[in-house]
Amino acid sequence: MTRRHWQQVTPYLLLLPSTIFILIFFSYPMVESFALAFRADDGGWTLKHFEAMVTDVAFVPAVCTTLLLVVIIIPVQFVLALIMALLIQAKLKFSSIFLYIYSIPLGISELAAGIVWFALFTERGYLNSILINLGLLNTPFIFLSYQNTVWLISAVVLAEAWRATSIVMIILVAGLQSIPNEYLEAADVFGASPWDKVWRVILPLLKPSLQVALILRTILAFQVFAVVLAVTGRGLTLLAAEAYLWYNTYRNPNVAAALATLIMVLSIASTMIYLWGLRTPEEQSL
Amino acid sequence: MQATYIVAANKKALPFLPAGADVNALTYAQYLQWAKNVKEKTGQAKFGFPAGASGLMHRFFQGFLVPAYSGGVVTTFANDDAAAGWKWMVDVWPYVNPQSTTYGFMQEQLLSEEVWVAWDHVARLKDAFENKPNDFVALPVPAGPKGRAFMPVVAGLAIPKTANNVNGAKALISYLTEPKTQITTLREVGFFPFTNVDYPGYVSPGFKLEGEAVTKQANSKDALPALLPQGLGAKGGDFNKVYLDTFKRIVLNNEDIKKVLGDQKKILQTVMTDAKAPCWSPDPSSGDKPCEVK
């Protein structure tokens, strides 16, 4: 082969390993689990598993809680992540230390994070011990009661915000760093206030990063379950938690696959909405 | 090797026992009164059940509550006696720690004293008795109108017909059933000897406590063994789900007992029919036919 040929082929060769990886470890299992959701015991096709999923006692609460958590957690995480990213970008003294501290939760698994927050909130946990030692409470307050949905959801939101905000922050920091200083200097020249700069210069230019982060976070939010399982037990339930229970506890992989299919459809739908809603016109891109 | 489920109680809870109750022969009514006394006198719900995602709560319904009230597990699932059992669950629930829906292994909450009295599998209570043998007592489970129902978990040993080394397998089984090996198994994993053995001095007091309660429970006059579900194959999970969903709807969601049992009965029958599982003790035999919910 000539050198020119090699140059033409090289990009495809470089793409090959990751393509094979994705085909084997993502596409193949995805197709398999999709088929599992429709496969009957006798080898034919059926909608029985979807019927079992929809008529299950836990299905409607699981859908509601999943959507509720997505709606609450994502805005909270984005506001926090943006503040954190701007703080790092402001190049204050020790700002690089912030970056390291903010990134710590990235290294902790979902289940471990759930157990940490369970240890905080449980009746004999750290939070109650502190409140009792400070004299603010006489007897422990039960945060994680199944009757106390507000507290259960708050505990999950706190745990998730703590655990998964840093991934959004990292994407936003990268986005912020790609905004040329000239734009901000130009804004200074025209006498823009710091608020104007964030609202009218930084945020519009950050749109592509926000889009990536939103897609990533929303897909991950539909998949969250270990935190919820660890913190609330059977007190709250989510689609992904139900899929886990159907597979692991009730030993019914078909219904679990039906739930996984639903989660996939929701993930694809939300991705489409973000791609369409946050599209960046050609003239606005950097 | 055998295991079962018993009740573990912190000695602090004993003064609240209802008058005249024999701690080794409690009834469900007395257990309820006990839970109520503790809640009313201490202000805290100190009774617990392992109703979390990794807990074994379904076994409480399958092997204890439902057979103790109705005398069966499947055939009597939806009758008035079983409904009375579920009514007991509803009545006791206000005196049960509401975090029970997060509990998996009751030894943890017993050791932290978040709860004083708990029902669970002996292997999941082991640490409490092992770490603080002087703080806890091990008790037989309560009895209902039809008897002191309990679920014995017996480990069976068998040799497949096609085994290559039958004599080796026989030798292994002989070794595993030696008293000394059984004591070692007990010390390591909390499964109790199935043949009579004397507990040697080196068996910890915690295991001795549990072992004595297991024996008392099995040998009580009104003992009603309710076997582990059998013949369900891959449907075992669906079977458990029927009882857990029933609990969720009746106790956690406060739905009408009769209506829930009527709904769940149909699901239970589908599970039994699909699995082609005949009845097991204490339900009367159904021959080769799938067990039928009456």
Side-chain angles (χ1 to χ4, degrees):
Chain A
M1 266 202 270
T2 63
R3 210 178 137 167
R4 234 190 68 200
H5 270 113
W6 268 115
Q7 274 179 347
Q8 278 176 344
V9 175
T10 312
Y12 297 101
L13 283 178
L14 291 172
L15 281 174
L16 198 63
S18 52
T19 310
I20 293 174
F21 183 86
I22 287 173
L23 282 177
I24 295 178
F25 291 106
F26 287 89
S27 306
Y28 170 66
M30 210 164 85
V31 172
E32 277 290 298
S33 77
F34 197 71
L36 201 58
F38 294 97
R39 181 118 350 119
D41 294 338
D42 57 11
W45 302 99
T46 178
L47 283 174
K48 185 176 93 173
H49 310 306
F50 282 90
E51 199 192 317
M53 170 182 92
V54 176
T55 53
D56 185 43
V57 203
F59 180 70
V60 174
V63 173
C64 295
T65 320
T66 306
L67 295 179
L68 185 68
L69 281 181
V70 168
V71 170
I72 300 175
I73 289 175
I74 291 184
V76 168
Q77 284 184 332
F78 271 76
V79 171
L80 284 176
L82 193 64
I83 294 171
M84 284 151 73
L86 288 171
L87 264 177
I88 290 168
Q89 231 4 50
K91 304 267 187 306
L92 300 171
K93 237 181 184 177
F94 311 120
S95 70
S96 61
I97 295 177
F98 284 137
L99 182 63
Y100 290 112
I101 294 176
Y102 291 154
S103 313
I104 291 173
L106 270 183
I108 294 175
S109 83
E110 205 191 321
L111 184 60
I115 293 170
V116 167
W117 283 88
F118 179 74
L120 275 171
F121 279 113
T122 185
E123 188 180 324
R124 305 267 147 171
Y126 296 110
L127 188 57
N128 269 317
S129 305
I130 292 170
L131 291 176
I132 289 170
N133 283 334
L134 289 176
L136 296 171
L137 282 182
N138 287 324
T139 50
F141 179 77
I142 298 182
F143 294 98
L144 303 178
S145 157
Y146 76 97
Q147 294 148 320
N148 206 336
T149 314
V150 175
W151 260 113
L152 285 182
I153 291 187
S154 310
V156 171
V157 169
L158 268 169
E160 266 301 287
W162 176 79
R163 188 186 70 83
T165 300
S166 39
I167 182 81
V168 181
M169 177 205 73
I170 302 252
I171 297 172
L172 295 188
V173 167
L176 282 176
Q177 284 173 351
S178 70
I179 297 176
N181 251 340
E182 288 81 0
Y183 289 91
L184 297 171
E185 282 164 12
D188 281 334
V189 170
F190 288 106
S193 66
W195 175 249
D196 278 333
K197 276 200 286 185
V198 170
W199 198 246
R200 292 176 190 276
V201 180
I202 295 179
L203 274 181
L205 289 173
L206 210 52
K207 219 156 83 176
S209 309
L210 284 171
Q211 192 188 45
V212 171
L214 265 175
I215 292 173
L216 209 69
R217 259 321 296 160
T218 310
I219 293 176
L220 291 175
F222 280 122
Q223 296 171 1
V224 163
F225 80 100
V227 166
V228 177
L229 225 50
V231 175
T232 74
R234 285 185 196 278
L236 276 188
T237 190
L238 298 176
L239 285 173
E242 283 302 310
Y244 167 78
L245 287 175
W246 274 101
Y247 190 86
N248 193 54
T249 308
Y250 314 139
R251 310 262 167 203
N252 191 327
N254 298 97
V255 180
L259 280 157
T261 305
L262 177 66
I263 294 169
M264 188 174 74
V265 169
L266 285 172
S267 303
I268 293 174
S270 60
T271 306
M272 303 291 264
I273 292 171
Y274 289 137
L275 285 177
W276 177 80
L278 285 174
R279 64 196 183 285
T280 313
E282 195 72 36
E283 67 276 11
Q284 276 183 24
S285 54
L286 283 173
Chain B
M1 285 160 278
Q2 66 159 328
T4 186
Y5 302 74
I6 54 170
V7 170
N10 193 307
K11 285 182 182 163
K12 288 179 188 165
L14 298 179
F16 301 98
L17 275 164
D22 173 2
V23 78
N24 285 312
L26 289 172
T27 64
Y28 275 98
Q30 288 169 333
Y31 199 78
L32 168 63
Q33 187 60 44
W34 190 12
K36 193 174 173 207
N37 290 349
V38 169
K39 172 83 187 266
E40 281 170 357
K41 291 181 183 146
T42 68
Q44 289 175 300
K46 291 292 208 182
F47 275 55
F49 282 100
S54 58
L56 294 172
M57 194 66 192
H58 44 284
R59 297 295 188 219
F60 180 69
F61 306 127
Q62 295 160 359
F64 298 81
L65 186 69
V66 176
Y69 271 85
S70 71
V73 184
V74 175
T75 54
T76 57
F77 177 81
N79 71 11
D80 288 343
D81 293 336
W86 286 105
K87 173 76 172 47
W88 179 87
M89 201 68 222
V90 172
D91 291 342
V92 81
W93 201 248
Y95 314 116
V96 169
N97 192 310
Q99 293 171 110
S100 285
T101 48
T102 65
Y103 295 162
F105 290 61
M106 291 311 303
Q107 57 197 13
E108 292 168 17
Q109 283 72 33
L110 286 165
L111 281 170
S112 71
E113 297 199 11
E114 197 167 302
V115 305
W116 281 348
V117 182
W119 166 95
D120 208 340
H121 191 280
V122 281
R124 293 176 171 216
L125 296 170
K126 180 185 139 206
D127 286 357
F129 292 113
E130 280 296 282
N131 294 346
K132 292 184 174 170
N134 297 323
D135 289 11
F136 294 102
V137 287
L139 310 174
V141 293
K146 296 284 156 72
R148 195 172 304 279
F150 69 99
M151 188 181 270
V153 184
V154 183
L157 299 164
I159 304 170
K161 266 186 188 164
T162 51
N164 288 330
N165 182 357
V166 173
N167 288 332
K170 281 182 183 164
L172 177 65
I173 290 179
S174 303
Y175 171 74
L176 286 172
T177 50
E178 275 170 24
K180 207 180 147 209
T181 319
Q182 292 194 58
I183 293 291
T184 309
T185 313
L186 170 63
R187 294 178 74 201
E188 293 299 329
V189 293
F191 270 68
F192 292 85
F194 64 90
T195 51
N196 272 330
V197 296
D198 292 324
Y199 291 98
Y202 59 78
V203 170
S204 55
F207 272 141
K208 201 158 167 266
L209 282 172
E210 281 195 324
E212 283 161 3
V214 169
T215 316
K216 263 183 222 154
Q217 178 168 296
N219 297 333
S220 60
K221 271 181 267 162
D222 48 358
L224 174 66
L227 297 187
L228 265 174
Q230 284 164 22
L232 291 167
K235 296 281 173 193
D238 293 293
F239 181 77
N240 294 341
K241 190 172 184 338
V242 170
Y243 290 84
L244 286 171
D245 284 350
T246 306
F247 163 67
K248 192 168 186 169
R249 291 181 62 184
I250 292 176
V251 180
L252 303 185
N253 301 352
N254 279 320
E255 290 183 50
D256 178 63
I257 296 177
K258 274 278 153 194
K259 182 179 180 307
V260 174
L261 289 180
D263 291 350
Q264 294 295 109
K265 174 184 165 178
K266 291 174 210 149
I267 305 176
L268 178 59
Q269 189 59 63
T270 313
V271 172
M272 301 311 293
T273 312
D274 286 356
K276 300 187 184 72
C279 298
W280 59 86
S281 172
D283 280 317
S285 165
S286 60
D288 291 340
K289 292 201 195 92
C291 200
E292 203 176 307
V293 190
K294 293 277 167 8

